[in-house]
Amino acid sequence: MSLLCLGLSHQSAPIELRERVAVSAAQLGEAARTLKARGAVDEAVVVSTCNRTELYLVGEASRLFAAGSDFLRLRAGLSASADLPLFAHLDQAAANHLCRVAGGLESMVLGETEILGQTKQAYQQAHVAGATGGQLNRLFQHAFRIAKKIRSETAIQRGATSVAAVAVELAERIFGDLGDCRTMVLGAGDTSRQMAKALASRGVPSLIVSNRNRDRAVELAAEIGATALPFEGWKEELRRCDILLAATGAPHALIHKADLAPVVARRTRPLFAIDIALPRDIDPAVNELDEVYLYDLDAIEQVARENRAQREEQIQRCEAIIERELEAGQVLRARSKAVS
Amino acid sequence: MDFWLALTALALTFASSLRAAWQLARGEFHRGHFNLAALGLAFAFLFGALTLRGRIEGGCPLGGPTDLLLFLAWGILGFYLIAGPALRMSLLGYFTAPLALGLQTVALFPGVWQEAQPRAARSGLIEAHASLSMLAYAGFALAAVAGVMFLLLDRQLKRHSVKALGWKLPPLHHLADALVQQLWWSQLLLSAGIVFGLAEWHWQLNPKIASAIGVWLWFLVALLLRWRGRLHSRRLAEMAVGGFLLALGSLWLIERTLQAVAR
């Protein structure tokens, strides 16, 4: 009996092909059962996300590859002789690959955590569909434990890497729970909309939108469940806000150190100012004020870059955990091959 | 025996500090109870050492530099064990352990270490003054630790370069709140200590009580300014660190003066 991992991912196949092969979340169990129904496969799990479709198959080694690749070709609508940019791992290498996938090491955004939930869902559906057996049950449970270990013992998932997520994480570094934070959004364009939505989705309950064009402010406020404020009143209202998100289309800076100094002088709460406008809305000298933390696009990108670098530094530690835990758990003979 | 108990406490605090330094250097922070357990045991061993010394001295073990340093380290660990979980201050142990380690190391250093000696019985008021003041200083020490944590995170956020440590420290606003709470509790203890001291010395000033009042005034100003909304958290953190150094310096100065007078 052998274990084969066969599939294609964002590293090996273009999106046009990946979307043809992809299996919807609701059909993962059915797909695994279909594979098992083919004589060569004793156990099967199908993992399919926007970045990868992978088959984990247990059976007789000589027949597994053909069964799996036929299945994928069929989904891609290709003939039996057509080439697919598949990768394949056998036994220990397949187990190792599953742990890397579940741990986020193979993800497009290194260390992302969503993949663990997706892998669990894939396994759960295959299990319910009766497509798994002793080998895959043990392997997947073991892989989930290792993925959790990777999460808890390394910094592979630490630090956001997108502008909106970095801004939200920085706000959490300053205030902790964002539930009692008031946020003012200056500007009502697309950038403001995206950032305001990201903040709202992370539990910022109190949002105020102010824009020169009042109708657009009202429109955005209605869309994100915020309050619209006349543009003339934003300076006064800022005294009561914790987060300022500036993204207007003004051709010059709107907020200067001298304007903000009296506002923050009597505060004991910090002010987090996010300036994502180009040209910038906030004079960089504002960052010199005590308890004002100003981040423009470059500053946010710097944090994102450092986060990515920190994640990459963790890869070796994650690999060591996988190797150690697989050895401690169940040893499968290592054999691996790449297939094009 | 008290020496060996204190040495065991030192070894435990050293182990905790070493682990903290190693993890800080590697940028990895495991959730676990090692620090809590090591520092909890160190607290227990220090309590044993101080109890033995107190029995020999016939009163509260605050009779010289060794006693003061051990008592201060014990108080800091005690506050850590209470405040850490109560204020949900992650990584507090990482910063508390080196401070307690420094105090214990100096206390056990050859030339500083003094065997406990029986001494003349002191009044209850003096005992209360000394013990409450030292506990207050331990509280200020923990506030200073929170202050250092605040300043570290503030610096990283201001420079737009949040390192692994910065992502693990408690949020800035929580640190500021914890700092204020810790300062108020410590100020309350020091106020009581000063009242007992003044009562003992018939409301007359002496170097000990004057230095305690100096420290008390420093923190009173900081807390009142904060209460009135006129002191930003960064300034408060700086004042907490400065105030603790002031308290430690005044203790050292008084001990030296008293030793010189005794000679």
Side-chain angles (χ1 to χ4, degrees), chain B residues 113-219:
Chain B
W113 173 264
Q114 291 170 345
E115 293 297 337
Q117 302 289 337
R119 55 176 160 75
R122 295 193 302 196
S123 76
L125 288 173
I126 284 276
E127 298 282 39
H129 159 72
S131 54
L132 284 172
S133 302
M134 290 310 293
L135 279 177
Y137 284 9
F140 288 134
L142 208 69
V145 167
V148 168
M149 292 163 76
F150 180 96
L151 292 171
L152 271 172
L153 184 55
D154 174 78
R155 186 182 159 89
Q156 291 193 1
L157 285 166
K158 278 280 187 192
R159 292 182 168 209
H160 305 144
S161 181
V162 185
K163 309 289 182 202
L165 173 68
W167 292 113
K168 279 304 227 183
L169 282 169
L172 216 51
H173 194 54
H174 290 185
L175 280 167
D177 281 350
L179 178 57
V180 172
Q181 278 188 45
Q182 188 65 26
L183 284 180
W184 275 116
W185 282 112
S186 308
Q187 187 72 349
L188 215 62
L189 285 170
L190 186 59
S191 306
I194 289 172
V195 168
F196 282 117
L198 283 172
E200 168 65 20
W201 288 303
H202 307 291
W203 308 96
Q204 300 290 312
L205 284 182
N206 62 29
K208 277 189 176 178
I209 206 80
S211 76
I213 289 174
V215 171
W216 183 82
L217 281 174
W218 173 279
F219 284 112

Side-chain angles (χ1 to χ4, degrees), chain A residues 173 287 289 291-293 295, chain B residues 154 157-158 160 169 173 233:
Chain A
R173 285 293 70 224
N287 196 44
L289 292 168
E291 295 213 65
V292 177
Y293 303 93
Y295 281 73
Chain B
D154 174 78
L157 285 166
K158 278 280 187 192
H160 305 144
L169 282 169
H173 194 54
S233 304

Side-chain angles (χ1 to χ4, degrees), chain A residues 11 96 154 157 196 201 231 297:
Chain A
Q11 290 157 330
N96 190 295
T154 74
Q157 52 156 16
S201 72
F231 197 68
L297 277 172

Side-chain angles (χ1 to χ4, degrees), chain B residues 65-150:
Chain B
T66 308
D67 283 347
L68 288 178
L69 289 165
L70 290 181
F71 197 93
L72 199 53
W74 175 74
I76 290 169
L77 293 179
F79 269 117
Y80 159 70
L81 293 172
I82 297 166
L87 300 173
R88 301 182 70 187
M89 295 267 284
S90 58
L91 298 194
L92 188 63
Y94 284 60
F95 290 84
T96 306
L99 178 62
L101 176 70
L103 294 169
Q104 289 175 77
T105 306
V106 176
L108 294 180
F109 215 73
V112 178
W113 173 264
Q114 291 170 345
E115 293 297 337
Q117 302 289 337
R119 55 176 160 75
R122 295 193 302 196
S123 76
L125 288 173
I126 284 276
E127 298 282 39
H129 159 72
S131 54
L132 284 172
S133 302
M134 290 310 293
L135 279 177
Y137 284 9
F140 288 134
L142 208 69
V145 167
V148 168
M149 292 163 76
F150 180 96

